[in-house]
Amino acid sequence: MIALPTSGNSSEFLFRKFTFFRGRVALAAILRALGIRSGDTVAIQAFTCIAVPEAIMAVGAKPIFIDVVPNGFTMDATDLERKITGDTRAIVVQHTFGIPTDMAKIVQVSQKYSIPVIEDCCHTLVSTYQGQEVGSFGIASFYSFEWGKPIVVGMGGSARINDEALEQEIIRHYSDYKYPDSANQYRLQLQYIAFSIMFRPSLYWPTRSLYHRLSALKIAKGSYNPVGEVAEDFSLRMPLQLQHRLEHKLQYLNKHTSHSTWVVDEYRNRIQSTMITQAKIPGDSYVVFARYPLIVKEKEKCLNAARKAGVELADWYSTPIHPLGTQEWSLVHYQAGSCPNAEIMCQQVVTLPTHITVSQRDINRAVTFFNRLSV
Ligand SMILES: *Cc1c(COP(=O)(O)O)cnc(C)c1O
Protein backbone atom coordinates (compact mmCIF):
# COMPACT_ATOMS: atom_id res chain seq x y z
CA MET A 1 0.00 0.00 0.00
CA ILE A 2 3.00 2.28 0.26
CA ALA A 3 3.57 3.36 -3.30
CA LEU A 4 6.66 5.35 -4.16
CA PRO A 5 6.20 9.03 -4.82
CA THR A 6 6.07 9.97 -8.49
CA SER A 7 9.61 9.61 -9.71
CA GLY A 8 12.01 12.47 -10.24
CA ASN A 9 10.22 15.01 -8.06
CA SER A 10 11.89 16.76 -5.20
CA SER A 11 9.72 16.70 -2.10
CA GLU A 12 9.25 20.48 -2.41
CA PHE A 13 7.44 19.82 -5.66
CA LEU A 14 5.27 17.11 -4.08
CA PHE A 15 4.01 19.69 -1.59
CA ARG A 16 2.69 21.92 -4.36
CA LYS A 17 1.80 19.54 -7.16
CA PHE A 18 -1.97 19.55 -6.49
CA THR A 19 -2.93 22.78 -4.77
CA PHE A 20 -6.37 23.74 -3.49
CA PHE A 21 -7.99 26.70 -1.79
CA ARG A 22 -7.44 25.18 1.65
CA GLY A 23 -6.13 22.03 3.33
CA ARG A 24 -9.67 20.79 3.96
CA VAL A 25 -10.45 21.15 0.24
CA ALA A 26 -7.42 18.96 -0.54
CA LEU A 27 -8.75 16.35 1.91
CA ALA A 28 -12.20 16.44 0.33
CA ALA A 29 -10.59 16.04 -3.13
CA ILE A 30 -8.72 12.95 -1.91
CA LEU A 31 -11.89 11.46 -0.41
CA ARG A 32 -13.83 12.15 -3.61
CA ALA A 33 -11.09 10.56 -5.72
CA LEU A 34 -11.30 7.49 -3.47
CA GLY A 35 -15.01 7.29 -4.31
CA ILE A 36 -16.09 8.07 -0.75
CA ARG A 37 -19.63 9.38 -0.49
CA SER A 38 -22.93 9.27 1.35
CA GLY A 39 -23.32 6.10 3.45
CA ASP A 40 -19.57 5.79 4.04
CA THR A 41 -17.73 6.65 7.24
CA VAL A 42 -14.23 8.03 7.66
CA ALA A 43 -12.23 7.53 10.86
CA ILE A 44 -10.54 10.63 12.28
CA GLN A 45 -9.12 11.43 15.66
CA ALA A 46 -10.86 13.55 18.25
CA PHE A 47 -8.56 16.43 19.27
CA THR A 48 -8.78 18.01 15.85
CA CYS A 49 -10.27 21.09 14.26
CA ILE A 50 -13.64 21.44 12.58
CA ALA A 51 -11.99 21.60 9.14
CA VAL A 52 -11.41 17.83 9.11
CA PRO A 53 -15.00 16.62 9.75
CA GLU A 54 -16.16 19.49 7.52
CA ALA A 55 -14.22 17.99 4.58
CA ILE A 56 -15.67 14.53 5.24
CA MET A 57 -19.20 15.87 5.44
CA ALA A 58 -18.60 17.93 2.27
CA VAL A 59 -18.45 14.65 0.29
CA GLY A 60 -21.56 13.36 2.08
CA ALA A 61 -19.74 10.89 4.36
CA LYS A 62 -19.84 10.73 8.15
CA PRO A 63 -16.87 11.08 10.51
CA ILE A 64 -16.28 8.55 13.28
CA PHE A 65 -14.09 9.73 16.10
CA ILE A 66 -11.12 7.77 17.42
CA ASP A 67 -9.46 8.64 20.71
CA VAL A 68 -5.87 9.82 21.04
CA VAL A 69 -3.24 7.84 22.91
CA PRO A 70 -3.15 8.51 26.70
CA ASN A 71 -1.28 11.76 27.44
CA GLY A 72 -0.70 12.25 23.72
CA PHE A 73 -2.09 14.01 20.71
CA THR A 74 -2.24 11.36 17.97
CA MET A 75 -4.55 8.47 17.07
CA ASP A 76 -4.76 5.36 19.25
CA ALA A 77 -4.65 2.30 16.96
CA THR A 78 -6.45 0.10 19.51
CA ASP A 79 -9.42 2.46 19.67
CA LEU A 80 -9.33 2.66 15.86
CA GLU A 81 -9.69 -1.11 15.50
CA ARG A 82 -12.51 -1.08 18.02
CA LYS A 83 -14.51 1.62 16.25
CA ILE A 84 -14.20 0.93 12.52
CA THR A 85 -17.11 -0.83 10.80
CA GLY A 86 -17.84 -2.33 7.39
CA ASP A 87 -18.76 1.18 6.18
CA THR A 88 -15.41 2.73 7.06
CA ARG A 89 -13.67 3.71 3.82
CA ALA A 90 -10.67 5.72 5.02
CA ILE A 91 -8.57 6.45 8.09
CA VAL A 92 -7.26 9.99 8.48
CA VAL A 93 -4.32 10.18 10.87
CA GLN A 94 -3.17 13.58 12.10
CA HIS A 95 0.46 14.29 13.01
CA THR A 96 -0.66 16.79 15.62
CA PHE A 97 1.72 19.69 16.36
CA GLY A 98 4.22 17.81 14.15
CA ILE A 99 4.38 14.72 16.38
CA PRO A 100 4.14 11.65 14.13
CA THR A 101 1.31 9.21 14.73
CA ASP A 102 2.50 5.73 15.72
CA MET A 103 2.23 4.51 12.11
CA ALA A 104 3.35 0.91 12.60
CA LYS A 105 0.17 -0.02 14.45
CA ILE A 106 -2.06 2.12 12.22
CA VAL A 107 -0.67 0.53 9.05
CA GLN A 108 -1.36 -2.91 10.56
CA VAL A 109 -5.03 -2.06 11.12
CA SER A 110 -5.23 -0.45 7.67
CA GLN A 111 -3.87 -3.59 5.98
CA LYS A 112 -5.92 -6.02 8.06
CA TYR A 113 -9.18 -4.35 7.03
CA SER A 114 -8.03 -2.94 3.64
CA ILE A 115 -8.90 0.64 4.56
CA PRO A 116 -6.57 3.28 3.08
CA VAL A 117 -4.77 5.78 5.31
CA ILE A 118 -4.68 9.50 4.57
CA GLU A 119 -2.20 11.63 6.53
CA ASP A 120 -3.09 15.09 7.83
CA CYS A 121 0.28 16.84 7.56
CA CYS A 122 -1.03 20.35 8.19
CA HIS A 123 1.31 20.70 11.18
CA THR A 124 4.48 19.32 9.66
CA LEU A 125 5.99 18.71 6.27
CA VAL A 126 9.15 17.02 7.42
CA SER A 127 8.85 15.08 10.69
CA THR A 128 9.92 11.46 10.34
CA TYR A 129 8.79 8.20 11.93
CA GLN A 130 11.22 5.27 11.94
CA GLY A 131 13.34 7.18 9.46
CA GLN A 132 10.50 7.73 7.00
CA GLU A 133 8.98 11.13 6.21
CA VAL A 134 5.40 11.73 7.30
CA GLY A 135 3.11 12.03 4.32
CA SER A 136 4.69 9.01 2.63
CA PHE A 137 2.99 6.26 4.67
CA GLY A 138 -0.57 6.57 3.43
CA ILE A 139 -2.19 6.49 0.02
CA ALA A 140 -2.26 10.30 0.18
CA SER A 141 -1.60 13.20 2.52
CA PHE A 142 -2.62 16.82 2.70
CA TYR A 143 -1.11 20.14 3.80
CA SER A 144 -2.29 23.60 4.75
CA PHE A 145 -0.51 26.91 4.28
CA GLU A 146 -2.74 29.08 6.41
CA TRP A 147 -1.58 31.19 9.33
CA GLY A 148 -0.25 29.05 12.14
CA LYS A 149 1.07 26.33 9.81
CA PRO A 150 4.75 25.65 9.14
CA ILE A 151 4.78 27.38 5.75
CA VAL A 152 2.44 30.35 5.52
CA VAL A 153 1.12 31.81 2.29
CA GLY A 154 -2.07 33.19 3.84
CA MET A 155 -4.54 30.57 2.63
CA GLY A 156 -4.22 27.34 0.71
CA GLY A 157 -3.62 23.65 0.84
CA SER A 158 -2.26 20.80 -1.19
CA ALA A 159 -2.57 17.07 -1.66
CA ARG A 160 0.31 14.65 -2.06
CA ILE A 161 -0.74 11.42 -3.78
CA ASN A 162 1.31 8.26 -3.27
CA ASP A 163 -0.66 5.97 -5.55
CA GLU A 164 -0.70 6.02 -9.35
CA ALA A 165 -4.39 5.13 -9.82
CA LEU A 166 -5.50 7.67 -7.23
CA GLU A 167 -3.36 10.32 -8.87
CA GLN A 168 -5.16 9.70 -12.17
CA GLU A 169 -8.49 10.22 -10.39
CA ILE A 170 -7.28 13.49 -8.85
CA ILE A 171 -6.12 14.68 -12.26
CA ARG A 172 -9.49 13.74 -13.79
CA HIS A 173 -11.35 16.01 -11.34
CA TYR A 174 -8.76 18.75 -11.01
CA SER A 175 -10.16 21.02 -13.73
CA ASP A 176 -13.49 21.19 -11.83
CA TYR A 177 -11.77 23.44 -9.29
CA LYS A 178 -12.00 27.14 -10.09
CA TYR A 179 -9.97 30.14 -8.97
CA PRO A 180 -11.68 32.37 -6.40
CA ASP A 181 -13.18 35.55 -7.85
CA SER A 182 -11.07 38.68 -7.87
CA ALA A 183 -12.79 40.28 -4.84
CA ASN A 184 -11.98 37.18 -2.82
CA GLN A 185 -8.37 37.18 -4.07
CA TYR A 186 -7.99 40.87 -3.30
CA ARG A 187 -9.23 40.33 0.23
CA LEU A 188 -6.79 37.46 0.75
CA GLN A 189 -3.98 39.69 -0.44
CA LEU A 190 -4.88 42.48 2.00
CA GLN A 191 -5.23 39.96 4.79
CA TYR A 192 -1.79 38.58 4.04
CA ILE A 193 -0.18 41.99 4.15
CA ALA A 194 -1.91 42.90 7.42
CA PHE A 195 -0.99 39.60 9.01
CA SER A 196 2.61 39.80 7.88
CA ILE A 197 2.90 42.94 9.97
CA MET A 198 1.00 41.66 13.00
CA PHE A 199 2.05 38.02 13.10
CA ARG A 200 4.60 37.97 15.91
CA PRO A 201 4.49 36.70 19.48
CA SER A 202 4.42 40.14 21.09
CA LEU A 203 1.29 41.08 19.12
CA TYR A 204 -0.42 37.69 19.44
CA TRP A 205 -3.21 38.60 21.86
CA PRO A 206 -4.32 41.91 20.29
CA THR A 207 -4.09 40.41 16.78
CA ARG A 208 -6.12 37.42 17.85
CA SER A 209 -9.03 39.49 19.14
CA LEU A 210 -8.91 41.83 16.13
CA TYR A 211 -9.01 38.84 13.75
CA HIS A 212 -11.94 37.27 15.58
CA ARG A 213 -13.82 40.55 15.38
CA LEU A 214 -13.07 41.07 11.67
CA SER A 215 -14.05 37.53 10.72
CA ALA A 216 -17.29 37.81 12.73
CA LEU A 217 -18.02 40.90 10.61
CA LYS A 218 -17.00 38.88 7.52
CA ILE A 219 -14.34 41.44 6.67
CA ALA A 220 -11.58 38.87 7.05
CA LYS A 221 -11.83 35.29 5.81
CA GLY A 222 -12.09 33.31 9.04
CA SER A 223 -10.76 29.83 9.79
CA TYR A 224 -14.21 28.35 10.32
CA ASN A 225 -17.14 27.93 7.97
CA PRO A 226 -20.75 27.43 9.16
CA VAL A 227 -21.26 23.82 10.28
CA GLY A 228 -23.53 21.64 8.17
CA GLU A 229 -23.19 23.56 4.90
CA VAL A 230 -20.85 22.76 2.03
CA ALA A 231 -18.89 25.98 1.70
CA GLU A 232 -17.96 27.42 -1.69
CA ASP A 233 -14.36 26.75 -0.64
CA PHE A 234 -14.78 23.11 -1.71
CA SER A 235 -15.00 24.06 -5.37
CA LEU A 236 -11.93 26.30 -5.33
CA ARG A 237 -8.25 25.96 -6.05
CA MET A 238 -5.35 28.03 -4.79
CA PRO A 239 -5.02 31.43 -6.51
CA LEU A 240 -1.94 31.69 -8.76
CA GLN A 241 -0.44 34.46 -6.68
CA LEU A 242 -0.51 32.18 -3.63
CA GLN A 243 0.89 29.28 -5.66
CA HIS A 244 3.87 31.44 -6.55
CA ARG A 245 4.29 32.51 -2.95
CA LEU A 246 4.22 28.86 -1.91
CA GLU A 247 6.81 27.90 -4.50
CA HIS A 248 9.03 30.69 -3.22
CA LYS A 249 8.55 29.91 0.47
CA LEU A 250 9.17 26.19 0.11
CA GLN A 251 12.75 27.04 -0.80
CA TYR A 252 13.17 28.10 2.81
CA LEU A 253 11.75 24.93 4.29
CA ASN A 254 15.12 23.96 5.81
CA LYS A 255 15.41 27.36 7.43
CA HIS A 256 11.96 26.93 9.01
CA THR A 257 12.91 23.48 10.22
CA SER A 258 16.13 24.56 11.87
CA HIS A 259 14.47 27.61 13.41
CA SER A 260 11.68 25.49 14.90
CA THR A 261 14.23 22.97 16.20
CA TRP A 262 16.24 25.72 17.88
CA VAL A 263 13.16 27.29 19.49
CA VAL A 264 11.92 23.94 20.81
CA ASP A 265 15.37 23.04 22.19
CA GLU A 266 15.33 26.30 24.12
CA TYR A 267 11.86 25.58 25.54
CA ARG A 268 12.74 21.99 26.41
CA ASN A 269 16.00 22.78 28.10
CA ARG A 270 15.03 25.94 29.91
CA ILE A 271 11.42 25.50 31.05
CA GLN A 272 11.71 23.75 34.39
CA SER A 273 8.44 24.54 36.08
CA THR A 274 6.86 21.84 38.21
CA MET A 275 3.48 23.24 37.21
CA ILE A 276 3.72 21.77 33.71
CA THR A 277 4.49 18.53 31.93
CA GLN A 278 6.46 18.61 28.71
CA ALA A 279 5.27 16.68 25.68
CA LYS A 280 6.54 13.13 25.26
CA ILE A 281 8.33 12.63 21.98
CA PRO A 282 7.63 9.16 20.60
CA GLY A 283 10.63 6.89 20.20
CA ASP A 284 12.37 6.57 16.84
CA SER A 285 10.94 9.76 15.45
CA TYR A 286 12.31 13.13 14.45
CA VAL A 287 9.82 15.84 15.33
CA VAL A 288 9.60 19.27 13.79
CA PHE A 289 7.00 21.05 15.88
CA ALA A 290 4.47 23.49 14.40
CA ARG A 291 3.69 24.44 17.98
CA TYR A 292 5.19 23.15 21.19
CA PRO A 293 2.59 21.63 23.54
CA LEU A 294 2.73 21.81 27.32
CA ILE A 295 0.32 20.15 29.71
CA VAL A 296 -0.86 22.44 32.49
CA LYS A 297 -3.18 21.89 35.42
CA GLU A 298 -5.15 25.13 35.26
CA LYS A 299 -5.43 25.92 31.59
CA GLU A 300 -7.74 28.94 31.78
CA LYS A 301 -5.70 30.61 34.52
CA CYS A 302 -2.52 29.91 32.62
CA LEU A 303 -3.91 31.44 29.41
CA ASN A 304 -5.13 34.51 31.27
CA ALA A 305 -1.76 34.98 32.91
CA ALA A 306 -0.04 34.61 29.52
CA ARG A 307 -2.31 37.24 28.02
CA LYS A 308 -1.41 39.65 30.83
CA ALA A 309 2.28 38.88 30.46
CA GLY A 310 2.11 39.34 26.65
CA VAL A 311 3.31 35.78 26.03
CA GLU A 312 1.97 34.05 22.92
CA LEU A 313 0.16 30.96 24.15
CA ALA A 314 -2.58 29.21 22.19
CA ASP A 315 -5.49 27.20 23.54
CA TRP A 316 -5.91 24.75 20.70
CA TYR A 317 -7.38 22.41 20.77
CA SER A 318 -9.81 23.55 23.42
CA THR A 319 -12.49 21.00 22.50
CA PRO A 320 -12.30 17.57 20.77
CA ILE A 321 -13.51 19.30 17.59
CA HIS A 322 -12.10 22.78 17.93
CA PRO A 323 -13.76 25.27 18.32
CA LEU A 324 -17.15 23.53 18.72
CA GLY A 325 -18.74 23.74 22.16
CA THR A 326 -20.49 20.75 23.76
CA GLN A 327 -23.87 21.80 22.32
CA GLU A 328 -22.53 21.65 18.75
CA TRP A 329 -20.74 18.29 18.91
CA SER A 330 -23.72 16.39 17.53
CA LEU A 331 -23.56 18.52 14.35
CA VAL A 332 -20.40 16.60 13.41
CA HIS A 333 -21.60 13.33 15.00
CA TYR A 334 -19.29 13.49 18.00
CA GLN A 335 -20.68 11.84 21.13
CA ALA A 336 -19.64 13.30 24.46
CA GLY A 337 -17.50 10.86 26.40
CA SER A 338 -16.58 8.76 23.36
CA CYS A 339 -12.94 9.91 23.35
CA PRO A 340 -11.99 10.48 27.00
CA ASN A 341 -8.25 10.98 26.43
CA ALA A 342 -8.93 13.70 23.88
CA GLU A 343 -11.41 15.41 26.18
CA ILE A 344 -8.86 15.48 29.00
CA MET A 345 -6.11 16.83 26.75
CA CYS A 346 -8.37 19.68 25.63
CA GLN A 347 -8.63 20.81 29.24
CA GLN A 348 -4.88 20.72 29.80
CA VAL A 349 -2.97 21.65 26.67
CA VAL A 350 -1.47 25.01 25.81
CA THR A 351 0.99 25.58 22.99
CA LEU A 352 3.96 27.85 22.46
CA PRO A 353 4.91 29.16 19.01
CA THR A 354 7.88 27.88 16.99
CA HIS A 355 7.32 29.93 13.84
CA ILE A 356 9.92 31.95 12.04
CA THR A 357 9.26 35.26 13.83
CA VAL A 358 9.86 33.83 17.33
CA SER A 359 12.97 35.64 18.60
CA GLN A 360 15.36 35.01 21.48
CA ARG A 361 13.51 37.70 23.41
CA ASP A 362 10.17 35.95 22.90
CA ILE A 363 11.72 32.68 24.07
CA ASN A 364 13.17 34.32 27.16
CA ARG A 365 9.83 35.85 28.00
CA ALA A 366 8.03 32.51 27.62
CA VAL A 367 10.66 30.68 29.70
CA THR A 368 10.45 33.27 32.49
CA PHE A 369 6.67 33.12 32.36
CA PHE A 370 6.53 29.35 32.82
CA ASN A 371 9.28 29.16 35.38
CA ARG A 372 7.39 31.68 37.53
CA LEU A 373 3.98 30.15 36.90
CA SER A 374 2.07 29.31 40.04
CA VAL A 375 -1.28 28.01 38.74
C1 LIG B 1 -5.29 23.86 9.58
C2 LIG B 1 -5.62 22.44 9.66
C3 LIG B 1 -6.48 21.81 8.75
C4 LIG B 1 -7.22 22.53 7.65
O1 LIG B 1 -6.50 23.40 6.91
P1 LIG B 1 -7.27 24.58 6.15
O2 LIG B 1 -6.25 25.06 5.17
O3 LIG B 1 -7.67 25.58 7.16
O4 LIG B 1 -8.46 23.97 5.48
C5 LIG B 1 -6.69 20.45 8.86
N1 LIG B 1 -6.10 19.74 9.85
C6 LIG B 1 -5.30 20.31 10.76
C7 LIG B 1 -4.69 19.47 11.82
C8 LIG B 1 -5.04 21.68 10.70
O5 LIG B 1 -4.26 22.25 11.63
Side-chain angles (χ1 to χ4, degrees), residues 144-161:
S144 169
F145 307 105
E146 232 195 308
W147 294 95
K149 316 294 172 159
I151 298 286
V152 176
V153 302
M155 187 65 73
S158 72
R160 167 178 171 173
I161 312 296

Side-chain angles (χ1 to χ4, degrees), residues 167-350:
E167 178 157 339
Q168 289 312 316
E169 275 305 297
I170 292 275
I171 291 169
R172 218 161 62 80
H173 296 293
Y174 202 47
S175 59
D176 298 345
Y177 292 84
K178 306 294 176 219
Y179 292 109
D181 61 30
S182 46
N184 200 342
Q185 294 202 29
Y186 185 65
R187 191 170 60 167
L188 287 176
Q189 197 57 18
L190 281 180
Q191 205 167 316
Y192 181 78
I193 294 165
F195 262 59
S196 302
I197 298 164
M198 301 190 301
F199 193 72
R200 57 203 74 237
S202 54
L203 294 176
Y204 173 76
W205 291 102
T207 302
R208 184 174 181 269
S209 45
L210 179 66
Y211 178 60
H212 285 175
R213 234 170 295 152
L214 291 179
S215 39
L217 294 169
K218 305 222 185 305
I219 293 168
K221 174 87 181 152
S223 302
Y224 312 117
N225 292 317
V227 187
E229 294 169 26
V230 180
E232 190 208 3
D233 298 7
F234 288 96
S235 61
L236 300 177
R237 60 173 66 197
M238 190 192 274
L240 280 175
Q241 211 168 21
L242 300 193
Q243 287 185 40
H244 292 143
R245 189 178 293 147
L246 177 61
E247 188 177 337
H248 176 74
K249 287 209 163 179
L250 281 170
Q251 294 171 28
Y252 302 102
L253 187 55
N254 287 340
K255 191 175 152 200
H256 283 259
T257 298
S258 53
H259 181 80
S260 165
T261 306
W262 167 67
V263 174
V264 169
D265 281 348
E266 287 275 290
Y267 293 149
R268 293 183 77 82
N269 296 334
R270 294 177 51 203
I271 295 177
Q272 277 151 4
S273 167
T274 54
M275 305 309 291
I276 57 137
T277 314
Q278 302 228 12
K280 263 189 309 192
I281 294 187
D284 204 4
S285 58
Y286 164 68
V287 187
V288 181
F289 286 92
R291 297 197 63 92
Y292 186 66
L294 294 169
I295 297 167
V296 297
K297 292 183 191 105
E298 301 264 9
K299 176 164 170 169
E300 282 312 311
K301 285 186 187 160
C302 180
L303 286 166
N304 285 333
R307 181 195 287 263
K308 283 201 196 100
V311 169
E312 173 173 347
L313 196 62
D315 67 344
W316 43 283
Y317 297 122
S318 62
T319 91
I321 307 99
H322 189 92
L324 296 185
T326 323
Q327 303 304 317
E328 300 165 303
W329 289 351
S330 62
L331 298 174
V332 293
H333 311 286
Y334 181 75
Q335 267 187 348
S338 64
C339 297
N341 295 336
E343 289 181 22
I344 293 168
M345 274 302 120
C346 292
Q347 290 165 16
Q348 300 184 342
V349 71
V350 292

Side-chain angles (χ1 to χ4, degrees), residues 22-24 49 51-52 94 120 122-123 142 144 146 149 156 317:
R22 308 183 99 161
R24 70 196 77 179
C49 72
V52 181
Q94 174 183 297
D120 181 338
C122 292
H123 294 180
F142 65 98
S144 169
E146 232 195 308
K149 316 294 172 159
Y317 297 122

Side-chain angles (χ1 to χ4, degrees), residues 39-60:
D40 297 334
T41 64
V42 175
I44 60 176
Q45 69 168 65
F47 199 81
T48 188
C49 72
I50 180 70
V52 181
E54 184 189 352
I56 292 164
M57 290 163 70
V59 302

